[in-house]
Amino acid sequence: METFRKYGRIEVSIGVFFVVLLLLGLRLFYIQVIEHDKYDAMARNIQTQELIIQPKRGEIYTRFGSETAPLVLNETIYTIFADPQQIDSAKKVISEVGAAVGDRLEIGVKDLEKSKTQYMVLARGLSNEQNKKVEKLDLEGVGSQKSSRRYYPEDKMLSRTLGFVNVEGEGQYGVEGEFNDILSGKPGLLSGMTDIKGTFLPTSQYYTSIPAENGENIVLSIDRNIQYAADQILDSGLKSVGATKGSIVVMDPQDGSVLAMSSSPSYNPAQYSKVENADLFLNPVVNNAFEPGSVTKVLTMAAAIDSGAVNQKSTFYNSGCVKIYEDKVCNVEQSVSNRTLTATDIFRYSLNTGVIWTLEQMGGGSINNKGKNTLYNYFHGKFRLDDLTGIEQAAESKGDITKPNSNEAWDIRYANMTFGQGFNTTMIEMTSAFAAVVNGGTYYKPHLLYGTLDDENSIHQTVPEVVTNDVVKPETSKAIRQMMFEARDHSGDSGHYVGSKSGTAQVYDAKTGNYSKTNFIGTHLGFGADSSGNAKYVIMVRVDDSRAGGYAGTIAAGPIFTNMSNWIINYKGISK
Amino acid sequence: MTSKRVQFTSSRYNSGSAWARNQNLTAISKESKIGPVFSTIVAFGIVAVLAVIYLFQITKTSTYSFELENIENKRAELVAEREDLRNENARMQSAQRVNKSGIASSMTTPASIDYAN
């Protein structure tokens, strides 16, 4: 007490004041110095924002003569939303926005009035013009969000080869799926302090701007004109035989580039979500392995000639049927039975007995391991009929060939393989192998990518890849071209050097374990060459469900091949 | 204000000048004294000027930010418009459109075609 009495009230108050000041000072020191990092980070979190800058997805073009034509572009679209808690009048918002966006309006007055959320979508997928109309209304509590989606000026063209881009912006199936990494680019980042409206202040501390890297624009090897013609010819060909499913592929045999790849039915990739049958997302040319039928006879003959077992002038006795143990294989064409025929006649009359004879010749006179090994060596090793081609399509399928040392390598299986049954392959594997046989023996990797397109519209062309150049000898190639030309019925041709082979394969029925007697796949495979005999194009056609009767390979697929072939001859100006 | 008289003596020899004659030289110097009030006002003045400059700079950078944002928005709008026009152009030149055009439908198939080698 004595001590306190020494000081007056003012001194004590001053003392208390300084003690409080000291405590505050200490607290400030604690907050500002010791806990500086913590509060600095908190402040930064409030004041700064991060914005991911979405890159522009690369566009897809086709070739169009020496130029390019757009196939898949991007378009900016807008979503109009409202915050029901901030709007003045739901009736006014719905009425005015409705007038601006028309039938795009998704909700009514009651929906907006009843909503307890802070975000309700009023309209989606609006154009820039529609969005501007809504912006002009300047409605309280109404805003818009910008996004991008794919735009297809050619509608359905090439859809089953292209694939689509889903709502997450990821490429699905086909080219979009295969080139997703190249097309998507890399997102950028905008980070820094913002004002109260969220506007970035570039001059502020912590401001970071990493620009997005846009995806690359790619040019496909597809020629828009050939593709359009292929679409028309396929659709009209299928319609004429009452078929609903079919495909056509056109390839340049001199470099493996795909010039057209069409399948029917197709779908509009802009409305992929409305597709009910997911099979439509697959490309039958690449994703479906099947038994190709008699078009395989061309490859069997190429193997037999190239291995030296037979030659173009060889002859054989056609008995009409061949017995292999308990199985009997007969020709469809019986009018030329029991006579000696040439190797070219095997193509002309599509003789199963003829190609079985070539298998026997590869074995030295009978169906044996030597013959099977030789055939397998060509089908598997040289023609690559059971190997992925590497074409730029997502989830490519591959064929399946029974190895000669397998328990299932029965004689009848190998006999069937000579005319396209007992093994399976895809259209692209078959077309690529055939292209190698008719171009002199070079197997080019089939490809859809022609190059990339830079901002100055210059194309950076990719180099065609040679897989192997000893598929067959040049003389074998020449012999096959000549035999196919001689065997073809040229009544529908324009007098040009065209060779082809049809095939009608029975479809294996898994339920019965036998080949169906009513369900056939018609195929047609051939080439067109200039006056010097150089193959200029290769076409393969497949028709799945012809209702026309007869042999689907000839009746259904044949006219499609001929029409396409004649169209290309005119388009490319190929000399007679 | 006070004045002070200071006398200097020069020892330097120079026959032609007054210094040389060892004359007394006188200079009247004026000495100013700045008081605490004046100093405080000046200090506040400097701080105020600096604050105004600082605020001006800050406002200026903010203004630049808004200008930049406006330009960016305008640019985005023009890009969107250009994109729309380009897409419309692509649609107008699509194979389907071209084939359905009046010109295409009035074309006829030539009777025969010959190509030079």
Side-chain angles (χ1 to χ4, degrees):
Chain A
M1 290 297 281
E2 281 297 310
T3 315
F4 281 111
R5 276 177 198 162
K6 277 187 198 170
Y7 305 101
R9 276 179 295 180
I10 293 174
E11 283 96 337
V12 170
S13 299
I14 290 171
V16 169
F17 174 76
F18 276 106
V19 168
V20 170
L21 205 64
L22 183 69
L23 287 173
L24 280 174
L26 285 171
R27 179 68 184 151
L28 281 174
F29 179 79
Y30 179 74
I31 290 171
Q32 294 187 352
V33 178
I34 295 173
E35 295 224 304
H36 170 268
D37 292 346
K38 179 186 160 188
Y39 286 103
D40 186 51
M42 281 171 71
R44 218 183 306 167
N45 274 345
I46 295 165
Q47 293 164 356
T48 60
Q49 281 188 26
E50 274 191 2
L51 180 72
I52 305 289
I53 307 166
Q54 292 301 336
K56 196 181 97 175
R57 192 173 175 86
E59 295 169 335
I60 303 173
Y61 294 78
T62 62
R63 285 197 286 167
F64 183 50
S66 58
E67 295 177 18
T68 59
L71 189 63
V72 186
L73 301 171
N74 297 309
E75 70 174 335
T76 306
I77 51 162
Y78 299 85
T79 300
I80 304 293
F81 63 88
D83 179 351
Q85 316 307 322
Q86 282 192 23
I87 57 171
D88 293 331
S89 156
K91 200 176 172 185
K92 186 185 172 196
V93 166
I94 294 297
S95 146
E96 294 191 4
V97 172
V101 304
D103 59 1
R104 289 273 179 186
L105 189 68
E106 292 182 6
I107 60 168
V109 178
K110 283 182 183 173
D111 301 316
L112 201 55
E113 280 174 345
K114 282 181 189 170
S115 175
K116 289 176 182 173
T117 63
Q118 290 189 306
Y119 181 87
M120 276 202 89
V121 172
L122 301 179
R124 286 173 229 262
L126 300 184
S127 66
N128 187 30
E129 202 177 323
Q130 287 171 312
N131 179 56
K132 271 187 190 172
K133 280 184 189 172
V134 177
E135 274 182 353
K136 272 186 188 171
L137 297 172
D138 198 22
L139 294 166
E140 183 75 26
V142 175
S144 73
Q145 279 172 324
K146 194 164 72 167
S147 58
S148 181
R149 74 176 173 197
R150 289 304 222 186
Y151 180 79
Y152 302 90
E154 301 285 351
D155 290 328
K156 292 180 176 181
M157 183 186 276
L158 209 70
S159 60
R160 293 183 77 170
T161 305
L162 279 176
F164 59 87
V165 178
N166 67 14
V167 284
E168 280 85 32
E170 289 165 354
Q172 304 284 303
Y173 301 96
V175 170
E176 294 274 19
E178 182 69 12
F179 288 117
N180 191 49
D181 289 345
I182 296 171
L183 291 167
S184 5
K186 285 182 184 165
L189 177 71
L190 194 58
S191 163
M193 294 176 84
T194 61
D195 69 0
I196 198 157
K197 284 184 176 175
T199 306
F200 279 92
L201 305 172
T203 46
S204 68
Q205 206 182 358
Y206 312 122
Y207 182 78
T208 311
S209 174
I210 303 166
E213 285 176 34
N214 290 336
E216 282 192 69
N217 297 328
I218 60 173
V219 182
L220 300 181
S221 58
I222 298 291
D223 183 307
R224 191 184 82 166
N225 290 335
I226 301 178
Q227 179 67 34
Y228 182 76
D231 289 345
Q232 304 295 308
I233 290 168
L234 179 68
D235 281 345
S236 119
L238 293 179
K239 200 175 169 187
S240 67
V241 294
T244 59
K245 288 180 189 172
S247 299
I248 182 168
V249 58
V250 182
M251 183 182 279
D252 182 342
Q254 301 303 332
D255 65 4
S257 60
V258 176
L259 303 174
M261 189 182 266
S262 180
S263 290
S264 187
S266 61
Y267 67 99
N268 185 350
Q271 296 178 332
Y272 69 89
S273 59
K274 292 181 181 170
V275 173
E276 289 173 358
N277 179 8
D279 283 351
L280 287 186
F281 295 144
L282 298 172
N283 180 356
V285 176
V286 172
N287 299 127
N288 183 270
F290 69 113
E291 291 177 296
S294 289
V295 290
T296 310
K297 285 172 183 159
V298 176
L299 300 184
T300 303
M301 184 62 78
I305 293 175
D306 203 59
S307 62
V310 301
N311 63 53
Q312 201 177 341
K313 290 178 181 171
S314 297
T315 57
F316 77 105
Y317 185 78
N318 174 33
S319 55
C321 291
V322 175
K323 199 154 188 296
I324 301 166
Y325 297 106
E326 290 174 359
D327 296 297
K328 196 175 172 187
V329 179
C330 294
N331 296 323
V332 169
E333 181 60 70
Q334 286 295 328
S335 66
V336 289
S337 300
N338 303 315
R339 68 186 71 172
T340 299
L341 297 170
T342 64
T344 303
D345 289 331
I346 294 173
F347 287 169
R348 183 173 291 129
Y349 301 112
S350 195
L351 302 174
N352 297 340
T353 53
V355 277
I356 292 172
W357 164 74
T358 63
L359 175 65
E360 289 170 347
Q361 298 311 300
M362 284 187 264
S366 65
I367 300 176
N368 53 33
N369 282 342
K370 188 187 169 199
K372 289 176 188 175
N373 277 321
T374 305
L375 189 69
Y376 181 78
N377 179 40
Y378 275 90
F379 276 24
H380 165 77
K382 299 216 171 194
F383 302 147
R384 310 169 76 88
L385 295 176
D386 59 347
D387 203 358
L388 294 173
T389 64
I391 191 167
E392 306 93 334
Q393 289 280 276
E396 183 190 356
S397 302
K398 63 177 181 175
D400 183 30
I401 302 173
T402 304
K403 289 178 184 169
N405 58 3
S406 158
N407 291 333
E408 294 184 351
W410 313 300
D411 288 359
I412 184 65
R413 177 185 288 277
Y414 264 74
N416 282 343
M417 279 166 54
T418 61
F419 51 87
Q421 294 194 182
F423 80 100
N424 58 34
T425 189
T426 62
M427 274 182 82
I428 195 68
E429 285 172 324
M430 196 73 190
T431 310
S432 306
F434 179 68
V437 168
V438 297
N439 74 7
T442 302
Y443 189 107
Y444 288 98
K445 180 183 165 186
H447 58 274
L448 282 159
L449 183 67
Y450 182 69
T452 54
L453 192 68
D454 65 19
D455 292 339
E456 277 79 43
N457 277 344
S458 299
I459 301 174
H460 302 276
Q461 203 179 329
T462 52
V463 180
E465 187 183 326
V466 174
V467 177
T468 173
N469 54 13
D470 61 350
V471 176
V472 291
K473 299 177 195 86
E475 51 270 31
T476 305
S477 177
K478 190 178 176 186
I480 292 290
R481 288 198 303 273
Q482 190 59 29
M483 288 167 77
M484 288 183 77
F485 171 71
E486 286 173 11
R488 180 175 161 79
D489 170 13
H490 292 282
S491 55
D493 291 345
S494 48
H496 286 79
Y497 191 16
V498 179
S500 73
K501 177 75 192 79
S502 65
T504 304
Q506 293 172 289
V507 177
Y508 183 75
D509 187 346
K511 286 180 187 169
T512 60
N514 288 310
Y515 285 103
S516 166
K517 288 180 180 172
T518 54
N519 196 4
F520 300 94
I521 293 177
T523 48
H524 211 97
L525 178 64
F527 70 93
D530 62 14
S531 54
S532 316
N534 294 320
K536 291 291 180 186
Y537 59 87
V538 160
I539 301 169
M540 184 170 185
V541 181
R542 168 183 169 172
V543 178
D544 277 30
D545 53 351
S546 169
R547 297 282 171 267
Y551 297 103
T554 310
I555 305 291
I560 297 173
F561 174 90
T562 302
N563 290 338
M564 190 74 237
S565 171
N566 286 341
W567 192 94
I568 295 175
I569 285 168
N570 283 336
Y571 177 65
K572 286 190 170 275
I574 295 170
S575 56
K576 282 184 188 176
Chain B
M1 285 286 199
T2 53
S3 64
K4 201 174 175 183
R5 186 177 140 173
V6 181
Q7 180 174 301
F8 300 96
T9 304
S10 171
S11 59
R12 206 183 302 167
Y13 173 78
N14 189 334
S15 58
S17 71
W19 294 90
R21 291 194 296 274
N22 200 24
Q23 290 172 346
N24 286 340
L25 296 173
T26 302
I28 308 294
S29 69
K30 287 184 178 177
E31 199 173 85
S32 301
K33 264 194 175 177
I34 296 170
V37 176
F38 183 76
S39 302
T40 308
I41 290 168
V42 168
F44 271 106
I46 291 168
V47 169
V49 168
L50 287 173
V52 167
I53 292 169
Y54 174 74
L55 282 173
F56 181 73
Q57 287 299 324
I58 290 291
T59 315
K60 205 171 155 188
T61 53
S62 298
T63 311
Y64 283 148
S65 297
F66 287 119
E67 277 177 19
L68 197 66
E69 202 209 2
N70 282 339
I71 292 166
E72 280 293 331
N73 286 344
K74 189 74 191 164
R75 183 180 168 274
E77 209 171 284
L78 290 170
V79 167
E81 270 177 34
R82 191 190 66 171
E83 198 179 75
D84 284 351
L85 289 169
R86 192 198 51 164
N87 288 356
E88 189 55 29
N89 184 42
R91 169 73 73 185
M92 298 295 281
Q93 293 186 32
S94 70
Q96 223 166 6
R97 281 269 183 148
V98 170
N99 273 278
K100 284 178 183 171
S101 70
I103 296 171
S105 54
S106 64
M107 287 179 171
T108 53
T109 310
S112 65
I113 306 166
D114 281 314
Y115 298 103
N117 282 323

